[in-house]
Structures are given as structure tokens and as C-alpha cells.
Amino acid sequence: MLPTHDRTATVALRGSTVHFDADPFVFGDDALRYESDSLIILEGGKIRAVGSYASLRDQIPSEAIRHYPNSLILPGFIDTHVHYPQTQMIGAYGAQLIDWLNEYTFVSEQQFADPDHASAVSRLFLNECLRVGTTTAMVYCTVHPESVDAFFEAAHDLDMRMIAGKVLMDRNAPAELRDTAQGGYDDSRVLMDKWHGKNRLLYAVTPRFAPTSTPEQLEAASALWKLRPDAYMQTHLSENLAELDWVAQLFPERKDYFDVYEHYGLAGPRAVFGHSIHLSEREWQRLAETDSSIAHCPTSNGFLGSGLFNFQRAKQAVAPASPVRTGMATDVGAGTSLSMLQTMGQAYKIGQLGGYSLSAAKALYLATKGAAHALHLEDKIGSIEAGMEADLVVLDLKSTPLIDFRMKYCNDIHEALFIQMTLADDRATQAVYVNGRQAYAGQAQDANVHAMS
């Protein structure tokens, strides 16, 4: 049984905290803010106040304080690109992207016409997100409206801030997974009207990627997005070299892959492009100029051998180049874990292979405040500040005997974060708070949490 509380009640968390007040890619790792003994007061689903324990302890009764020693309280992790239907095929052996899609993904996704199956996988997926400390995700469903309803119903029950949408595919996919330009538009409009803005839920217009949509469907997707410009658009961009060749054959009149989306009105604020590995300088510049966002998927890119993400160019702030809003993502099932800690560790390795050293602060930023920025939600999630939605994760800094031993030789918070992102996994999740309510308690909960008296 999870230790939960009424979201309307006032509760406070005491422990060490880390968050950001600026972008470390621009201002360096000093943009990270560490407080060794903080108090975070939660009320009505929001953070009412945050500061040192000494300065705030008199504002709340001692019995309402939950103390997390030997732990670190962070903003809830944010996954900017993930396919929940692929949870059942995670870890499937594959060669390259297109073969892997045909052999595994498209076969698995056909099962989501069954509402009961979609509901069961939705709930398992969201529970797994909580187990690894992820409180918000931008999610691909399948072509079936049932898969969207099931996902949003499960997310609504958990009070989670989630973004999702029905996949649009009207060509180059099995018949069981194809819709039509008009049918996809009609189904998506019903779903968007039903779910967008309901409680903490947001809708994303979701053409899977350019090769599986006709020009007519891309036009319909653009028309749909224009109906609700505060909604999102998500798709894939430049993941695989063979994919780039395929796009060039299907859209020979376009300058490049990104130009396909831009031509059809599918670029701009709240447009999020997964992967974005093999980009030309023109594409980088247009991503920045249109204020579009990128979701970096390091475990997936490594698993399928797709390529190395260009961190330096993505976050380049020196003129004439412009930075692009960028967040971290697990992808799944080409990704090998829903854990953002493990994904951050893989991102470091991807960076090293590409000649870029990704610090722990920068990796954590991409999984919290940077991801919120990529989703245009930085005013709601991704930070530990008064007025923000109370989505938080508590990490046990000694979750395994090896990590416990290693932490004895840790010199500062930056090294501590690097140890966690390279050695820790779901066992480090001590507690998760969603909209002010404790939604998950890890195995270390009873041993480490103390009510103050």
C-alpha cells in the first residue's frame, strides 16, 4: 500500500535539493542550485514555498514534515519522446530502424485495437514511469483511438501531466495500422476535443514520420493543429540514414527532411521532433528559427546504431548559430529503459563518442528544466520553485551496496549526480510526488523516511 495523502492537505518534504535557475549549456554548471537541507511545502498540488529548513520550519507543523536523509529531492523527470505501446517489445533484437519497425513494432501495435489490452499496457507503462521517477512524458499511442482513450484514462486516474496523441499513418504500414487522411483527422479531432486540457492532460497531433503519411495526411495534420494551436505536434526527424534517403525519394521537391514538415505547417512552438541526428546546418537553423524542439533519445540511438546526437550544435548559443530547445527521452522499445537516470548515463556515452563531454548538470537539465523548456511547460514543471506544480522525485543516494561505497569517496554534488546517473537505476527511486500527492514509495521508504517531531 502506498503512503498517500490528500492533495488538498499541506505537507512538507525535508532533504537535500537540486534544481536549475538557468541553462548550464549557456551559464555553465554553476546554473545548478544545491541546498543541503531544504524544506519544500506542498499545498493544493503546488509548491507553496521552498527554502532552507531553518528558514521555513516554523511555517508548518512538525508532524506534517517528511524527512528524507541520505537522499536528494529533484523535480520529477520529464520524458520528451516515448512510445507506450512498445513497452511489451522492449529489448527486442533488431538490425536497423526500418527492419526493426516492420518485424516488431508494427506487429505489436496491431494489438492496441483491443481496449482492454491498451488499458492494461497503459497502466503498466505509467506505473513503470512512476517507479523510475518520471512524472511527465510526451507519448505516442497507436493508430487506434482506443489506445489514446486508454492511455489518457489511466493518466487521468493518476493525476499525471501527460501529453499524447493518436498516430497518423496512411501509407507504408500494414493495412491493420493504416488510417486515411480524413479518417485520421476526424478521429484525432474527437480525441483532441475530449482530452486536451482535461485536468493535466494535453493532446499532440502525431504523424508518425513523413514516410508513413501522404502529403494529404500531412496537410490534414496541419489543419488539425491549427484548430488548437496550444496543443502539440510530435513526430520523428532524421533518425537513420536509410530513412533520410527514403524521405528524399518520397518528397523530391523538398530541400531536406525538416523542410517536409515545415512545408506542411508542422513546425513551430510545441512541435517536438524525436531523434534529429543527421541534420544539415540549414535544418538546425530552421529548427531554431521556428522555435521547434528536439527530443534526444540516446539509448535508442545506440541500440539501433542510428548515429550520434550533436549536443554542441543543438545547444550552440554563439551567433550566427542558435540553440534549439532540447529534452531527454527514452523512446522505448528501441530504447532499453524507461529510467531517466540510465538514459542520462547513456547520453554521456553518446556525447563522448561524438567528442562532447556531457556533464551531470547538463544531463540532469535535459531531463528536468530543459525538457520542460522543450515542451513549453517551464512555467509549470521542471523546477522546485514556489508556484510550480508539485511533481517531485526523491532519490536514495545509497540505493545499492556499490553506490553506497562509492558515495563515501564523493567530493561534491556534481560528482554525486554523475555517480547516480552512471550507476543507479529504479532502486534509487525512494518516493515520487505527483501534483502534491505521494504516488510511489520505493523499497527504501520505510527505512529512510522519518516524520519530524
Side-chain angles (χ1 to χ4, degrees), residues 402-420:
L402 175 61
I403 295 174
D404 187 6
F405 175 76
R406 176 66 180 87
M407 288 293 290
K408 290 179 171 66
Y409 301 92
C410 175
N411 295 314
D412 58 25
I413 185 60
H414 295 279
E415 186 174 5
L417 288 170
F418 193 77
I419 291 167
Q420 298 304 315

Side-chain angles (χ1 to χ4, degrees), residues 33 74 97 116 199 249 274 318 345 363 436:
R33 290 291 173 262
L74 305 169
L97 172 65
D116 291 337
N199 198 19
Q249 294 169 15
V318 179

